[in-house]
Amino acid sequence: MIRHAFLTFSILISAAVLGEGATPAYKPTEVFLFNCGATSDKIDDSGRNWTVENRKILPSNSENASFLADASYQESGVPQVPYMEARIFRSDFTYSFPVTPGWKFLRLYFYPTKYGSYAADSFFSVTVNSFTLLQNFSAHLTVNASKSKSLIKEFIIPVKQTMNLTFKPSLNSLAFVNGVEIVSMPDGFYSKGGFDDNLINVGREVDFKINNSTAFETFHRRNIGGQMVPGVSDTGMFRPWFPDEDYEVEGVVVSVPDAKINYTDKTPAYVAPEDVYATSRSMGLLNKDPSLNLQRNMTWHFTVDAEYTYLVRLHFFETTLEVNGINQRVFSIFIGKQEAMKEMDVIRLSGGSQNPVYIDFRVSVGSENGMRPDLRLDLHPLADTGASVY
Ligand SMILES: *[C@@H]1O[C@H](CO)[C@@H](O)[C@H](O)[C@H]1NC(C)=O
Ligand SMILES: *[C@@H]1O[C@H](CO)[C@@H](O)[C@H](O)[C@H]1NC(C)=O
Ligand SMILES: *[C@@H]1O[C@H](CO)[C@@H](O)[C@H](O)[C@H]1NC(C)=O
Ligand SMILES: *[C@@H]1O[C@H](CO)[C@@H](O)[C@H](O)[C@H]1NC(C)=O
Ligand SMILES: *[C@@H]1O[C@H](CO)[C@@H](O)[C@H](O)[C@H]1NC(C)=O
Ligand SMILES: *[C@@H]1O[C@H](CO)[C@@H](O)[C@H](O)[C@H]1NC(C)=O
Ligand SMILES: *[C@@H]1O[C@H](CO)[C@@H](O)[C@H](O)[C@H]1NC(C)=O
Ligand SMILES: *[C@@H]1O[C@H](CO)[C@@H](O)[C@H](O)[C@H]1NC(C)=O
Ligand SMILES: *[C@@H]1O[C@H](CO)[C@@H](O)[C@H](O)[C@H]1NC(C)=O
């Protein structure tokens, strides 16, 4: 499985998110929202309809292998739907979701709390078809190590026709889940490469393509320099985009109101919402001594799991008014301390000062720095080409 990190860079800030009633850029052909363990359909805080698990998706041993339970508490910050009800698994349990061929987002929702006498602190595994998504997983430990009380695990799974989603409790243990979401996506969206259909292999000469049997787990999806963009404000795929403020990156957020994002055939509007392209972080110091920037990097540290390969997708949009032509702002991109792209010129690449672009990189992360290392992203201004903005 390839793990991936989505990062976004762009210039300027806007508070605009997709408004009520606006048409999303991508209209998913399939959206399933199952409120596991619930006995009636419920609407969540964002207005989405979570339905009960219908008989068609449940296995024949459903009643013996599982039971329904209500959460004993609702801690602050934990939404009612889908977290207040759960299906608890005593033994292996397989949901069968009939879907059309292609990659699907699979999002699993967990709220580890007390469900009657079950404390939801047990270990379990989750598979879908031939992919192991979670192994000896504890939602309780995962949440305990984070700031949030509930968690969403997001995967991108290639499917032929059925998604068999199996929960396997570890020995003398139970498994549980609160909600299951399945959403379709444009064909090949994470496998074909970036805006130019190219996947850049960092630190390797070999040409590598992602084939139709690769599954992904989302590790980070960040709206750099911007605010939280909730799933309902995404361009049709319900991807949540989190701010990057917790990375304490040196640099400034540049703000120009009313960004006009000129989506193109190569970067269509579904790739990322306007709000993601319309916010960014840059090195700043423009009025003091910009050449000092040549001695610095702008750096993010993204915690990942060792021994996986990552797809890193970077989004760029140049709207600083003074930067409106090629060879004005050029910089280098390093991923995992390796040069990933020597000359990044957003306007040259995108073909216009108001066009967004996104680039995909592939990088392998070994275990020489432990099992939870940081994948480092560095941006460094490049003066070699005569660019004037550092
Ligand atoms: C929620 O979805 C179910 C199943 O599609 C449907 O029967 C129900 O009317 C929907 N509820 C609302 C409030 O839209
Ligand atoms: C449930 O378990 C009982 C007792 O072990 C067994 O008799 C019954 O056939 C099982 N039902 C199903 C649907 O597996
Ligand atoms: C992958 O699947 C798509 C259909 O979803 C198909 O168009 C494409 O040719 C396949 N690519 C490979 C390399 O098999
Ligand atoms: C899903 O499970 C059903 C029933 O066990 C089986 O017939 C089918 O082949 C499975 N599909 C996949 C893709 O594993
Ligand atoms: C699962 O993880 C826990 C905690 O890390 C460990 O104690 C346990 O032995 C593991 N179980 C298996 C089957 O790997
Ligand atoms: C949860 O985290 C706290 C502090 O971060 C730690 O003291 C405690 O041992 C953790 N609990 C478990 C079950 O790991
Ligand atoms: C897909 O790529 C993997 C290696 O990345 C390879 O092992 C596998 O055989 C390929 N599958 C197909 C159907 O080409
Ligand atoms: C938008 O992009 C297209 C395709 O690159 C280009 O033809 C057009 O001039 C651009 N429009 C603006 C306003 O930049
Ligand atoms: C920028 O990052 C790269 C890759 O991590 C590193 O080799 C280089 O020394 C850094 N430059 C500065 C000025 O920190």
Side-chain angles (χ1 to χ4, degrees):
M1 183 173 350
I2 294 193
R3 300 287 177 80
H4 64 176
F6 298 109
L7 315 168
T8 68
F9 295 86
S10 46
I11 312 295
L12 91 113
I13 286 251
S14 113
V17 292
L18 197 68
E20 292 274 334
T23 315
Y26 169 71
K27 237 184 140 10
T29 51
E30 285 161 312
V31 179
F32 296 114
L33 289 169
F34 290 110
N35 192 359
C36 303
T39 51
S40 64
D41 299 343
K42 303 236 165 76
I43 308 291
D44 72 13
D45 295 343
S46 62
R48 295 206 292 163
N49 181 3
W50 291 73
T51 60
V52 298
E53 305 146 285
N54 62 51
R55 220 171 256 166
K56 279 182 242 157
I57 63 164
L58 293 172
S60 56
N61 70 341
S62 170
E63 286 189 9
N64 276 6
S66 72
F67 61 96
L68 316 184
D70 290 341
S72 310
Y73 312 105
Q74 181 178 10
E75 282 153 291
S76 74
V78 178
Q80 181 89 21
V81 183
Y83 293 113
M84 284 305 111
E85 287 147 313
R87 184 176 288 272
I88 318 244
F89 309 105
R90 294 189 186 98
S91 51
D92 291 10
F93 185 104
T94 302
Y95 289 100
S96 283
F97 302 105
V99 291
T100 58
W103 269 273
K104 310 292 163 191
F105 283 104
L106 169 66
R107 301 192 180 100
L108 305 176
Y109 291 72
F110 299 102
Y111 176 38
T113 186
K114 271 183 107 56
Y115 294 90
S117 59
Y118 173 53
D121 55 0
S122 52
F123 291 88
F124 55 92
S125 298
V126 180
T127 64
V128 66
N129 299 346
S130 57
F131 300 107
T132 298
L133 306 182
L134 300 169
Q135 186 135 38
N136 193 31
F137 169 71
S138 163
H140 175 75
L141 288 182
T142 308
V143 159
N144 196 45
S146 81
K147 282 185 210 136
S148 164
K149 301 283 182 212
S150 56
L151 78 117
I152 304 172
K153 284 278 184 185
E154 182 183 279
F155 304 93
I156 295 168
I157 311 288
V159 212
K160 289 217 178 71
Q161 48 180 341
T162 311
M163 277 175 106
N164 287 340
L165 174 66
T166 305
F167 289 84
K168 297 183 186 190
S170 298
L171 198 64
N172 300 322
S173 188
L174 297 172
F176 79 101
V177 71
N178 298 92
V180 174
E181 173 180 3
I182 297 169
V183 180
S184 62
M185 69 179 72
D187 196 29
F189 187 38
Y190 294 106
S191 56
K192 70 166 184 57
F195 86 111
D196 52 358
D197 294 350
N198 189 29
L199 177 65
I200 298 172
N201 283 288
V202 180
R204 293 195 191 195
E205 299 296 318
V206 294
D207 191 32
F208 180 89
K209 295 245 179 292
I210 297 173
N211 65 25
N212 283 355
S213 49
T214 303
F216 304 80
E217 175 178 355
T218 306
F219 260 55
H220 302 278
R221 182 184 291 112
R222 298 288 179 163
N223 179 14
I224 303 293
Q227 63 194 355
M228 171 79 201
V229 179
V232 283
S233 301
D234 186 36
T235 44
M237 288 171 259
F238 303 103
R239 296 164 297 178
W241 301 76
F242 296 92
D244 74 327
E245 59 206 8
D246 47 330
Y247 292 107
E248 294 171 9
V249 177
E250 251 187 83
V252 298
V253 163
V254 187
S255 168
V256 182
D258 302 325
K260 290 268 181 298
I261 317 252
N262 183 27
Y263 288 109
T264 63
D265 288 349
K266 287 178 163 183
T267 307
Y270 62 69
V271 171
E274 288 198 358
D275 197 51
V276 167
Y277 284 113
T279 57
S280 76
R281 214 173 270 283
S282 83
M283 289 184 108
L285 286 183
L286 279 170
N287 304 322
K288 292 179 190 165
D289 184 2
S291 64
L292 287 176
N293 285 342
L294 291 171
Q295 295 157 32
R296 305 194 299 149
N297 280 349
M298 190 158 61
T299 305
W300 289 258
H301 296 268
F302 297 101
T303 305
V304 296
D305 281 350
E307 296 178 345
Y308 283 91
T309 297
Y310 290 83
L311 172 67
V312 181
R313 171 169 291 181
L314 304 181
H315 296 259
F316 297 93
F317 180 61
E318 176 67 82
T319 54
T320 298
L321 291 176
E322 306 85 71
V323 182
N324 53 18
I326 60 171
N327 203 25
Q328 289 183 13
R329 188 204 297 270
V330 182
F331 54 94
S332 301
I333 302 171
F334 300 87
I335 299 177
K337 298 189 190 167
Q338 304 173 87
E339 187 176 279
M341 198 167 179
K342 177 140 197 260
E343 283 182 32
M344 174 60 183
D345 180 334
V346 175
I347 293 176
R348 186 195 298 272
L349 215 56
S350 68
S353 65
Q354 304 204 319
N355 298 0
V357 275
Y358 66 108
I359 312 172
D360 283 358
F361 300 90
R362 173 185 182 267
V363 63
S364 295
V365 175
S367 52
E368 58 279 358
N369 295 314
M371 292 313 285
R372 290 284 286 164
D374 281 347
L375 179 58
R376 192 170 140 170
L377 171 70
D378 292 288
L379 303 185
H380 182 74
L382 186 71
D384 305 9
T385 65
S388 51
V389 178
Y390 302 144

